[in-house]
Amino acid sequence: MTRGRLLALFAVLLLGVIAVWLWWVKPRQVDMATYAPADSLLYLEANHPTEVVGALAGTQAWKTLAGIIESKPTAPQSPWLQRFVGWTGIGPIKSVILARAQVAVVITDLRTAEEGETLNIKPEGALIIETHTSESRIKSTFEETLRTLAEKTYSHPAFRRVIIEGVEYSEWIAPEGSRQIVGVVAGSLALIGTSEHVVQDCLAASQRRRPSLKDDAELHSMRRRLEQGRALTFGYVPAKNSAKLLALGLPLLLGRAPGDSEFQRLISNGAAKVFGSLGWTSDTYSTGIEDRYLISLQPSIVAHLKPTFVSNGVSSGPRRVAPNEVYSVTS
């Protein structure tokens, strides 16, 4: 075999090895609902957080705010470089995590506590980050970031490590002892929660030791109806929890304390008979962000209302006489 053929064969083999390596290291997008407990009150996800940050920075509102606070915009990383870091995992670890990560937020409970004349609402929840990067690479950076966050939030937090069922938890506790930040890294998954309990629930869901929202058929239906695949972010409230959230939120809108159990029960019972699941997406539009909401109703309500919503075939008059620059017309 001639030298030229050997070089050509070597080049082909090298290109083959590189192609296999690129296929191997490319992150595969996962369904973040897999990590969310099935009984979550609220679920939010962003499969491309860098795009969310870029979209917000490009809005007119952010540019106006940056001008008011005299904030100097940071030079954005080139899209090509972001794609390279995200695909290969080569680069500074923080850049790798940002480029490859998928993010979700779950709220599992909303607790209220009265302090004098002030009503405090304390959500129980967790931030879920699928880093698509090995635990050995992300753990030290993850803990250092949490330590900085805890020190800025709590001033002088107490730190401790706890091992539960073979998993190491890092905890930063506020001086008064009523608030804490709990973090854990399990493989490529990083969890940050407000308590050990909520982090354990998310970890158990990710390991299929307890039901997750991935098994919720209504969630998948809501994604399709809202075209979630094209959106920057997606939010979901299961049908069984929409009434509970309404029972907590409506009294606040009406100026009443959520602690009124009788009033809450009345709202919850009524809402459960009317409302189903709730969905939400956001995406870029012009110089801002456009939100879309979908509130489903119980089948019995839809069957009752359907005969009322029948087109009478009358054409819209304003459509013919309104000038082109009109933003909205309601008929």
Side-chain angles (χ1 to χ4, degrees), residues 11-12 21 120 154 161 278 300 303 309:
V12 170
W21 177 77
N120 292 324
Y154 301 148
R161 294 187 187 275
L278 314 178
S300 59
F309 291 89

Side-chain angles (χ1 to χ4, degrees), residues 32-87:
M32 294 300 290
T34 305
Y35 307 140
D39 56 356
S40 299
L41 289 178
L42 175 66
Y43 170 77
L44 302 171
E45 70 178 16
N47 289 314
H48 304 285
T50 52
E51 293 182 8
V52 176
V53 174
L56 290 173
T59 62
Q60 186 61 43
W62 178 260
K63 293 176 181 177
T64 301
L65 178 62
I68 293 174
I69 62 177
E70 298 181 352
S71 173
K72 295 181 179 180
T74 57
Q77 194 178 52
S78 71
W80 181 90
L81 185 58
Q82 282 187 1
R83 286 193 294 271
F84 174 80
V85 172
W87 187 309

Side-chain angles (χ1 to χ4, degrees), residues 37-43 105-113 120-126 193-195 197-199 201-202 210 237-238 241 244-245 248 264:
D39 56 356
S40 299
L41 289 178
L42 175 66
Y43 170 77
V105 175
V106 293
I107 302 298
T108 59
D109 195 10
L110 288 174
R111 300 176 181 177
T112 59
N120 292 324
I121 299 177
K122 298 181 179 180
E124 183 93 352
T194 56
S195 68
H197 174 72
V198 69
V199 173
D201 286 350
C202 293
R210 64 170 294 163
V237 177
N241 292 325
K244 184 175 181 180
L245 284 180
L248 287 168
Q264 279 186 265

Side-chain angles (χ1 to χ4, degrees), residues 1-324:
M1 184 178 291
T2 64
R3 183 178 180 182
R5 289 185 177 181
L6 284 174
L7 289 174
L9 179 61
F10 176 76
V12 170
L13 289 174
L14 181 61
L15 289 174
V17 170
I18 293 174
V20 171
W21 177 77
L22 287 173
W23 174 84
W24 180 261
V25 299
K26 181 182 179 181
R28 274 71 175 174
Q29 193 170 92
V30 301
D31 187 347
M32 294 300 290
T34 305
Y35 307 140
D39 56 356
S40 299
L41 289 178
L42 175 66
Y43 170 77
L44 302 171
E45 70 178 16
N47 289 314
H48 304 285
T50 52
E51 293 182 8
V52 176
V53 174
L56 290 173
T59 62
Q60 186 61 43
W62 178 260
K63 293 176 181 177
T64 301
L65 178 62
I68 293 174
I69 62 177
E70 298 181 352
S71 173
K72 295 181 179 180
T74 57
Q77 194 178 52
S78 71
W80 181 90
L81 185 58
Q82 282 187 1
R83 286 193 294 271
F84 174 80
V85 172
W87 187 309
T88 64
I90 298 175
I93 186 58
K94 290 186 178 180
S95 298
V96 170
I97 293 173
L98 288 173
R100 295 166 72 95
Q102 292 175 254
V103 177
V105 175
V106 293
I107 302 298
T108 59
D109 195 10
L110 288 174
R111 300 176 181 177
T112 59
E114 292 188 20
E115 296 180 7
E117 296 183 354
T118 303
L119 179 69
N120 292 324
I121 299 177
K122 298 181 179 180
E124 183 93 352
L127 173 64
I128 306 169
I129 308 171
E130 174 52 74
T131 65
H132 297 287
T133 310
S134 66
E135 180 176 339
S136 58
R137 288 191 70 188
I138 66 174
K139 189 166 185 178
S140 60
T141 301
F142 175 75
E143 291 188 348
E144 179 64 24
T145 302
L146 279 192
R147 182 186 66 80
T148 302
L149 173 64
E151 289 178 350
K152 289 182 178 180
T153 306
Y154 301 148
S155 184
H156 298 288
F159 174 74
R160 69 175 183 178
R161 294 187 187 275
V162 180
I163 297 179
I164 303 174
E165 298 180 351
V167 180
E168 184 180 80
Y169 294 73
S170 302
E171 301 180 0
W172 287 264
I173 305 168
E176 77 278 5
S178 62
R179 297 175 297 161
Q180 61 181 331
I181 296 174
V182 180
V184 66
V185 176
S188 61
L189 181 65
L191 298 169
I192 307 169
T194 56
S195 68
E196 286 179 5
H197 174 72
V198 69
V199 173
Q200 284 180 295
D201 286 350
C202 293
L203 190 59
S206 71
Q207 297 171 347
R208 307 302 289 174
R209 292 187 286 109
R210 64 170 294 163
S212 72
L213 277 179
K214 185 180 180 181
D215 304 318
D216 188 334
E218 188 66 25
L219 177 138
H220 298 289
S221 173
M222 190 67 72
R223 280 173 168 168
R224 289 193 300 271
R225 295 165 72 185
L226 285 171
E227 298 179 330
Q228 171 264 346
R230 302 180 182 179
L232 290 172
T233 58
F234 169 76
Y236 174 70
V237 177
K240 61 184 178 182
N241 292 325
S242 59
K244 184 175 181 180
L245 284 180
L246 187 61
L248 287 168
L250 188 58
L252 293 176
L253 294 176
L254 298 177
R256 301 182 61 166
D260 188 338
S261 58
E262 191 64 33
F263 186 54
Q264 279 186 265
R265 192 180 304 112
L266 179 65
I267 297 174
S268 183
N269 291 341
K273 297 175 182 178
V274 177
F275 297 106
S277 57
L278 314 178
W280 160 78
T281 59
S282 65
D283 206 350
T284 55
Y285 180 80
S286 185
T287 58
I289 300 291
E290 180 184 63
D291 295 318
R292 296 177 62 200
Y293 300 90
L294 196 155
I295 304 173
S296 63
L297 302 177
Q298 293 293 347
S300 59
I301 299 296
V302 174
H304 182 73
L305 294 177
K306 193 173 182 179
T308 307
F309 291 89
V310 177
S311 173
N312 58 12
V314 177
S315 61
S316 175
R319 184 178 176 183
R320 295 193 301 270
V321 299
N324 291 333

